Amino acid sequence: MPGPGRKTKAKASPRSGASGSTSADSNARLAAFIGTIDNADGWSPVVNLLCAYFELPDITTRSGLKKVHANFDSIYRRLDKAYTQNASNVRIKGGIVGIYARMCVDSLLRNKLFQRGFLAQLFPLLDVPECRRLALRSLTTITHHGGIEIRMEIAKSGYLILLRILQEYPDDPKTVELSIVTLSHCLISTISDEGVKIDRHLGESLDLTDILKIVTDTIRRPFPSRILVDHSVQLLAMSTLHSDVPPTSARFLVAGLRSKDWIFRCTCLGGLVRLHRKQSESDQRALDPMKLMAAVSRPAPPHLSEILRAYGFQQCEAYLTMKTASDFQSAMMNCVSTRDLYSLGLSLASFILRTEFSVSEGAYQSPNSVTGQMESMDLGLPFTMWSDSLPHCAKAIRAKGVPAEADMADILDMKFSIMRQRIPEAVRVANAALKRNPDFAYAYYALTLASDPVVGLRAAKKGMKCTKITPFVRFQMMQRAVEQAGEMGIQMLQENASEGDKKWEEGIAFLISALEDSKTYIAQAPPDNRHMKNVLYWNILLRIAIDEEISADLRELQVCILRKHDVLLAHRPQGSIRKLKIADDFSKWIGITPPRTNLRLTQQTVVRLFPEAVEEWGEFITNNSRLDGPAPSTEKAEDDLAAWLGDVHLEGEDQCHQPATFNTSHLELYRCSWCGNPSAVLRKCAGCAKSRYCDASCQKSHWKDHKRACSANKTN
């Protein structure tokens, strides 16, 4: 059977260029086709005949669509007239709708057709048994290629119809699949950030909870296709931010974390991370020094005291914060008598490298003789608030002109900008400082606070490689690296899920990097570090999603199995879940109830639901993500317009992606050979073409260690 628009002539085709034809002649010629069309076996021959009759260009090619552009009004008039005059002939109506659907691959033609009311011709065919699949196939094609406005219009006009079809024809696999695909395309666009900006009320009008329940029940039916499951999980994951999620849907997402398909599991993880965003609390950013002093002044609970002693109390955050507060007070009081801003600056810079809360927002005060209220005192210093001393001290250090102390002045300026929430200023100082000293750890730390996570992660990875770095600065950058790599990995995997797109491999490198840094942080950071909870949230979620073996009862996260040669401190043998309980106890000890942050709630939900999720959905997830599973079947063109509407001359029609597996031996292709930063824009070493680097500074730093291997690889 020749394809639509090819030069093969159909029976009784009108003569090209005939003149003087009347409307009656045209109708008579079309009538002569009706018998042939009615006897055609399947939709593809119907469309072939109609394309030949109307002498359409080959609209499966770009050149053919350009010809339609040039003659759109004329072509549309003929097709619309035939549709109207043959209202009782579903074969002609369906074939014309199929032609329109293929035209919608072109965005300009699609917009023109929608302006002329194409949907009003398409939706009625959904209730015609003979045309149902054709109409659904057309909708999947249109929504696959369609712009967001058109997807939203289809959602507004047809989502209830599609839900009804799902419920009325649950035993028709292809009908169910096409309905789910169209719903996924339309509803995801409607609730996206861009969709909400266009029409917020449309998204709010959708009964997403009911939709998610119907979609989840559909997945549960025997032998769902991979295309259906892929689109269903995308819809479920994207809807969690906007809807109350049915319990079974939440368990499906939790079970999906164990899929062998990386894209699938990270789509589920993204959905779970969004699940609690609306009811979550902000993280604790400030520390009440009075609460800390009150807590440390009394003995810690016995189990916490044992952990602090095992780690080394003088290295713990509570001790360092209290000691630094005392040293800071002494330095500020001493400055009153000495007026020596230079010495004060050197002291403050060293405090800043010890702990996060190194500079107090206090002032020199005395009681008012009349009111008795404490008031600020003017002692002749160039500042009143203690934090305002930082830029003055930095200026005094620079005035001394000692090159080795330039970093100390920059530390004061960066800390002042960070305290005032002027991060761009801190970043500017950091970048200038790194040109002078590429081994300046605190400057990298300032860069980790930049709004661009790519910049922040690269800075954290480089900063942790600095030779002169305090434990506080190192662990600050490590926890930032965990957070930024985790968030970027999830985002990257969800945005690059198309088959053959290797961008998702970079996303996996980000997640593995986050997991590795979280393990190091948990093993080495002070047990009372206030960021320990956040790192453990990531660690628990990523271990569930990444570790090769995880039991349904999560026993691997409950205890830490020690090997004979392991030398660990007393608080180490606990598993991540137990360590999180300890981190919570430390937080409560210093008077801070752990905030119900988004990540905390996500971790709690996953841990709570995991055993039930594995029981309910574990077998389904295993079977659906089998690497040796059969590819989805492709229907013949005679059955519907699947082959023609999905013609590859233009763009691929909806396909399910094959399970995305990751060979860990490829991990080094996505990580800097020096600092370990995951990235897809690494530069290959010009010598061996094997090592990869973020930039010239990383390559230069690695050269001493890499030189011999580079020469050997070049020789080979």
Side-chain angles (χ1 to χ4, degrees), residues 24 36 61 63 128 154-155 177 180 240 265 292 295 466 484 486 493 504 508 599 610 699:
T36 305
T61 64
S63 61
V128 179
I154 292 175
E177 176 188 298
I180 289 287
T240 56
R265 75 173 80 170
L292 179 62
C466 289
Q484 289 170 324
L493 277 154
W504 58 267
I508 296 173
L599 206 60
F610 192 77
Q699 185 170 19

PDB file of all heavy atoms in Angstrom, residues 24 36 61 63 128 154-155 177 180 240 265 292 295 466 484 486 493 504 508 599 610 699:
ATOM      1  N   ALA A  24     -20.869  20.263  -7.552  1.00  0.00           N
ATOM      2  CA  ALA A  24     -21.562  18.984  -7.757  1.00  0.00           C
ATOM      3  C   ALA A  24     -20.604  17.933  -8.291  1.00  0.00           C
ATOM      4  O   ALA A  24     -20.648  16.769  -7.901  1.00  0.00           O
ATOM      5  CB  ALA A  24     -22.727  19.184  -8.710  1.00  0.00           C
ATOM      6  N   THR A  36     -15.190   2.640  -1.947  1.00  0.00           N
ATOM      7  CA  THR A  36     -13.840   2.125  -1.760  1.00  0.00           C
ATOM      8  C   THR A  36     -13.373   2.337  -0.322  1.00  0.00           C
ATOM      9  O   THR A  36     -12.780   1.450   0.300  1.00  0.00           O
ATOM     10  CB  THR A  36     -12.859   2.825  -2.726  1.00  0.00           C
ATOM     11  OG1 THR A  36     -13.342   2.675  -4.053  1.00  0.00           O
ATOM     12  CG2 THR A  36     -11.466   2.222  -2.600  1.00  0.00           C
ATOM     13  N   THR A  61       6.756  14.430   5.499  1.00  0.00           N
ATOM     14  CA  THR A  61       8.067  15.042   5.319  1.00  0.00           C
ATOM     15  C   THR A  61       7.965  16.543   5.535  1.00  0.00           C
ATOM     16  O   THR A  61       6.892  17.145   5.417  1.00  0.00           O
ATOM     17  CB  THR A  61       8.610  14.791   3.896  1.00  0.00           C
ATOM     18  OG1 THR A  61       7.744  15.448   2.954  1.00  0.00           O
ATOM     19  CG2 THR A  61       8.664  13.302   3.602  1.00  0.00           C
ATOM     20  N   SER A  63       9.303  18.851   3.662  1.00  0.00           N
ATOM     21  CA  SER A  63       9.031  19.523   2.386  1.00  0.00           C
ATOM     22  C   SER A  63       7.540  19.480   2.065  1.00  0.00           C
ATOM     23  O   SER A  63       6.970  20.457   1.547  1.00  0.00           O
ATOM     24  CB  SER A  63       9.842  18.869   1.267  1.00  0.00           C
ATOM     25  OG  SER A  63       9.487  17.499   1.121  1.00  0.00           O
ATOM     26  N   VAL A 128     -17.413   7.231  19.232  1.00  0.00           N
ATOM     27  CA  VAL A 128     -17.766   6.351  18.111  1.00  0.00           C
ATOM     28  C   VAL A 128     -16.857   5.131  18.185  1.00  0.00           C
ATOM     29  O   VAL A 128     -15.639   5.256  18.015  1.00  0.00           O
ATOM     30  CB  VAL A 128     -17.588   7.072  16.759  1.00  0.00           C
ATOM     31  CG1 VAL A 128     -17.934   6.135  15.615  1.00  0.00           C
ATOM     32  CG2 VAL A 128     -18.438   8.333  16.711  1.00  0.00           C
ATOM     33  N   ILE A 154      -6.709  20.958  25.586  1.00  0.00           N
ATOM     34  CA  ILE A 154      -7.195  19.581  25.525  1.00  0.00           C
ATOM     35  C   ILE A 154      -7.527  19.076  26.926  1.00  0.00           C
ATOM     36  O   ILE A 154      -8.529  18.379  27.130  1.00  0.00           O
ATOM     37  CB  ILE A 154      -6.152  18.679  24.838  1.00  0.00           C
ATOM     38  CG1 ILE A 154      -6.038  19.055  23.350  1.00  0.00           C
ATOM     39  CG2 ILE A 154      -6.513  17.207  24.978  1.00  0.00           C
ATOM     40  CD1 ILE A 154      -4.950  18.318  22.611  1.00  0.00           C
ATOM     41  N   ALA A 155      -6.708  19.436  27.906  1.00  0.00           N
ATOM     42  CA  ALA A 155      -6.998  19.048  29.286  1.00  0.00           C
ATOM     43  C   ALA A 155      -8.330  19.632  29.741  1.00  0.00           C
ATOM     44  O   ALA A 155      -9.155  18.948  30.354  1.00  0.00           O
ATOM     45  CB  ALA A 155      -5.876  19.517  30.208  1.00  0.00           C
ATOM     46  N   GLU A 177      -3.889   2.581  27.169  1.00  0.00           N
ATOM     47  CA  GLU A 177      -2.554   3.170  26.992  1.00  0.00           C
ATOM     48  C   GLU A 177      -2.627   4.550  26.370  1.00  0.00           C
ATOM     49  O   GLU A 177      -2.006   5.513  26.860  1.00  0.00           O
ATOM     50  CB  GLU A 177      -1.706   2.246  26.125  1.00  0.00           C
ATOM     51  CG  GLU A 177      -0.328   2.805  25.787  1.00  0.00           C
ATOM     52  CD  GLU A 177       0.392   1.953  24.771  1.00  0.00           C
ATOM     53  OE1 GLU A 177       0.655   0.778  25.071  1.00  0.00           O
ATOM     54  OE2 GLU A 177       0.684   2.468  23.670  1.00  0.00           O
ATOM     55  N   ILE A 180      -4.023   7.172  28.785  1.00  0.00           N
ATOM     56  CA  ILE A 180      -3.051   7.553  29.817  1.00  0.00           C
ATOM     57  C   ILE A 180      -1.981   8.477  29.237  1.00  0.00           C
ATOM     58  O   ILE A 180      -1.590   9.478  29.855  1.00  0.00           O
ATOM     59  CB  ILE A 180      -2.396   6.295  30.428  1.00  0.00           C
ATOM     60  CG1 ILE A 180      -3.409   5.545  31.290  1.00  0.00           C
ATOM     61  CG2 ILE A 180      -1.160   6.672  31.245  1.00  0.00           C
ATOM     62  CD1 ILE A 180      -3.743   6.202  32.597  1.00  0.00           C
ATOM     63  N   THR A 240       2.390  15.240  42.666  1.00  0.00           N
ATOM     64  CA  THR A 240       2.475  15.192  44.125  1.00  0.00           C
ATOM     65  C   THR A 240       2.541  16.572  44.765  1.00  0.00           C
ATOM     66  O   THR A 240       2.165  16.735  45.921  1.00  0.00           O
ATOM     67  CB  THR A 240       3.705  14.372  44.565  1.00  0.00           C
ATOM     68  OG1 THR A 240       4.882  14.933  43.953  1.00  0.00           O
ATOM     69  CG2 THR A 240       3.565  12.923  44.140  1.00  0.00           C
ATOM     70  N   ARG A 265      13.434   5.227  38.743  1.00  0.00           N
ATOM     71  CA  ARG A 265      13.590   5.384  40.193  1.00  0.00           C
ATOM     72  C   ARG A 265      13.779   6.849  40.581  1.00  0.00           C
ATOM     73  O   ARG A 265      13.283   7.275  41.630  1.00  0.00           O
ATOM     74  CB  ARG A 265      14.748   4.524  40.703  1.00  0.00           C
ATOM     75  CG  ARG A 265      16.136   5.032  40.393  1.00  0.00           C
ATOM     76  CD  ARG A 265      17.220   4.212  41.073  1.00  0.00           C
ATOM     77  NE  ARG A 265      17.502   2.989  40.347  1.00  0.00           N
ATOM     78  CZ  ARG A 265      18.549   2.196  40.637  1.00  0.00           C
ATOM     79  NH1 ARG A 265      19.352   2.499  41.616  1.00  0.00           N
ATOM     80  NH2 ARG A 265      18.770   1.115  39.937  1.00  0.00           N
ATOM     81  N   LEU A 292      22.060  27.608  73.507  1.00  0.00           N
ATOM     82  CA  LEU A 292      23.243  26.764  73.433  1.00  0.00           C
ATOM     83  C   LEU A 292      24.009  26.799  74.749  1.00  0.00           C
ATOM     84  O   LEU A 292      24.439  25.759  75.267  1.00  0.00           O
ATOM     85  CB  LEU A 292      24.131  27.211  72.281  1.00  0.00           C
ATOM     86  CG  LEU A 292      25.426  26.415  72.094  1.00  0.00           C
ATOM     87  CD1 LEU A 292      25.116  24.956  71.789  1.00  0.00           C
ATOM     88  CD2 LEU A 292      26.265  27.014  70.974  1.00  0.00           C
ATOM     89  N   ALA A 295      22.232  24.826  77.347  1.00  0.00           N
ATOM     90  CA  ALA A 295      22.328  23.388  77.120  1.00  0.00           C
ATOM     91  C   ALA A 295      23.687  22.852  77.519  1.00  0.00           C
ATOM     92  O   ALA A 295      23.799  21.837  78.219  1.00  0.00           O
ATOM     93  CB  ALA A 295      22.048  23.072  75.651  1.00  0.00           C
ATOM     94  N   CYS A 466      41.665  21.511  49.084  1.00  0.00           N
ATOM     95  CA  CYS A 466      42.665  22.484  49.527  1.00  0.00           C
ATOM     96  C   CYS A 466      43.551  21.878  50.607  1.00  0.00           C
ATOM     97  O   CYS A 466      43.088  21.115  51.462  1.00  0.00           O
ATOM     98  CB  CYS A 466      41.991  23.746  50.062  1.00  0.00           C
ATOM     99  SG  CYS A 466      41.209  24.747  48.778  1.00  0.00           S
ATOM    100  N   GLN A 484      23.650  19.919  46.954  1.00  0.00           N
ATOM    101  CA  GLN A 484      23.602  20.406  45.578  1.00  0.00           C
ATOM    102  C   GLN A 484      23.686  19.267  44.570  1.00  0.00           C
ATOM    103  O   GLN A 484      22.948  19.251  43.577  1.00  0.00           O
ATOM    104  CB  GLN A 484      24.730  21.418  45.363  1.00  0.00           C
ATOM    105  CG  GLN A 484      24.474  22.728  46.106  1.00  0.00           C
ATOM    106  CD  GLN A 484      25.684  23.662  46.106  1.00  0.00           C
ATOM    107  OE1 GLN A 484      26.827  23.219  46.179  1.00  0.00           O
ATOM    108  NE2 GLN A 484      25.428  24.957  46.047  1.00  0.00           N
ATOM    109  N   GLY A 486      22.767  16.152  45.061  1.00  0.00           N
ATOM    110  CA  GLY A 486      21.526  15.391  45.138  1.00  0.00           C
ATOM    111  C   GLY A 486      20.398  16.047  44.361  1.00  0.00           C
ATOM    112  O   GLY A 486      19.697  15.397  43.573  1.00  0.00           O
ATOM    113  N   LEU A 493      18.003  13.756  35.880  1.00  0.00           N
ATOM    114  CA  LEU A 493      17.445  12.478  35.449  1.00  0.00           C
ATOM    115  C   LEU A 493      16.008  12.622  34.986  1.00  0.00           C
ATOM    116  O   LEU A 493      15.571  11.919  34.077  1.00  0.00           O
ATOM    117  CB  LEU A 493      17.534  11.466  36.588  1.00  0.00           C
ATOM    118  CG  LEU A 493      18.906  10.786  36.672  1.00  0.00           C
ATOM    119  CD1 LEU A 493      19.195  10.315  38.076  1.00  0.00           C
ATOM    120  CD2 LEU A 493      18.970   9.618  35.715  1.00  0.00           C
ATOM    121  N   TRP A 504      21.342  11.467  31.175  1.00  0.00           N
ATOM    122  CA  TRP A 504      20.953  10.899  32.458  1.00  0.00           C
ATOM    123  C   TRP A 504      22.126  10.229  33.158  1.00  0.00           C
ATOM    124  O   TRP A 504      22.145  10.107  34.382  1.00  0.00           O
ATOM    125  CB  TRP A 504      19.796   9.923  32.295  1.00  0.00           C
ATOM    126  CG  TRP A 504      20.026   8.776  31.373  1.00  0.00           C
ATOM    127  CD1 TRP A 504      19.717   8.705  30.045  1.00  0.00           C
ATOM    128  CD2 TRP A 504      20.631   7.515  31.694  1.00  0.00           C
ATOM    129  NE1 TRP A 504      20.089   7.492  29.524  1.00  0.00           N
ATOM    130  CE2 TRP A 504      20.651   6.727  30.519  1.00  0.00           C
ATOM    131  CE3 TRP A 504      21.145   6.966  32.864  1.00  0.00           C
ATOM    132  CZ2 TRP A 504      21.174   5.450  30.476  1.00  0.00           C
ATOM    133  CZ3 TRP A 504      21.670   5.675  32.823  1.00  0.00           C
ATOM    134  CH2 TRP A 504      21.680   4.941  31.639  1.00  0.00           C
ATOM    135  N   ILE A 508      23.215  10.416  37.197  1.00  0.00           N
ATOM    136  CA  ILE A 508      23.585   9.334  38.099  1.00  0.00           C
ATOM    137  C   ILE A 508      24.910   9.654  38.786  1.00  0.00           C
ATOM    138  O   ILE A 508      25.084   9.407  39.983  1.00  0.00           O
ATOM    139  CB  ILE A 508      23.682   8.004  37.332  1.00  0.00           C
ATOM    140  CG1 ILE A 508      22.306   7.618  36.781  1.00  0.00           C
ATOM    141  CG2 ILE A 508      24.229   6.898  38.223  1.00  0.00           C
ATOM    142  CD1 ILE A 508      22.327   6.411  35.879  1.00  0.00           C
ATOM    143  N   LEU A 599      12.819  17.724  53.090  1.00  0.00           N
ATOM    144  CA  LEU A 599      13.611  16.506  52.964  1.00  0.00           C
ATOM    145  C   LEU A 599      13.394  15.583  54.163  1.00  0.00           C
ATOM    146  O   LEU A 599      13.400  14.355  54.017  1.00  0.00           O
ATOM    147  CB  LEU A 599      15.095  16.865  52.816  1.00  0.00           C
ATOM    148  CG  LEU A 599      15.962  15.850  52.084  1.00  0.00           C
ATOM    149  CD1 LEU A 599      15.465  15.619  50.674  1.00  0.00           C
ATOM    150  CD2 LEU A 599      17.413  16.300  52.065  1.00  0.00           C
ATOM    151  N   PHE A 610       8.136   2.012  53.203  1.00  0.00           N
ATOM    152  CA  PHE A 610       8.927   1.097  52.387  1.00  0.00           C
ATOM    153  C   PHE A 610       8.508  -0.370  52.545  1.00  0.00           C
ATOM    154  O   PHE A 610       8.325  -1.067  51.535  1.00  0.00           O
ATOM    155  CB  PHE A 610      10.414   1.263  52.683  1.00  0.00           C
ATOM    156  CG  PHE A 610      11.305   0.564  51.693  1.00  0.00           C
ATOM    157  CD1 PHE A 610      11.538   1.102  50.435  1.00  0.00           C
ATOM    158  CD2 PHE A 610      11.901  -0.652  52.014  1.00  0.00           C
ATOM    159  CE1 PHE A 610      12.346   0.451  49.522  1.00  0.00           C
ATOM    160  CE2 PHE A 610      12.714  -1.313  51.104  1.00  0.00           C
ATOM    161  CZ  PHE A 610      12.928  -0.756  49.858  1.00  0.00           C
ATOM    162  N   GLN A 699      43.465  20.675  36.413  1.00  0.00           N
ATOM    163  CA  GLN A 699      44.498  19.916  35.699  1.00  0.00           C
ATOM    164  C   GLN A 699      45.883  20.255  36.244  1.00  0.00           C
ATOM    165  O   GLN A 699      46.727  19.364  36.433  1.00  0.00           O
ATOM    166  CB  GLN A 699      44.429  20.204  34.208  1.00  0.00           C
ATOM    167  CG  GLN A 699      45.395  19.361  33.376  1.00  0.00           C
ATOM    168  CD  GLN A 699      45.135  19.485  31.888  1.00  0.00           C
ATOM    169  OE1 GLN A 699      44.497  20.420  31.442  1.00  0.00           O
ATOM    170  NE2 GLN A 699      45.633  18.528  31.109  1.00  0.00           N
TER     171      GLN A 699
END
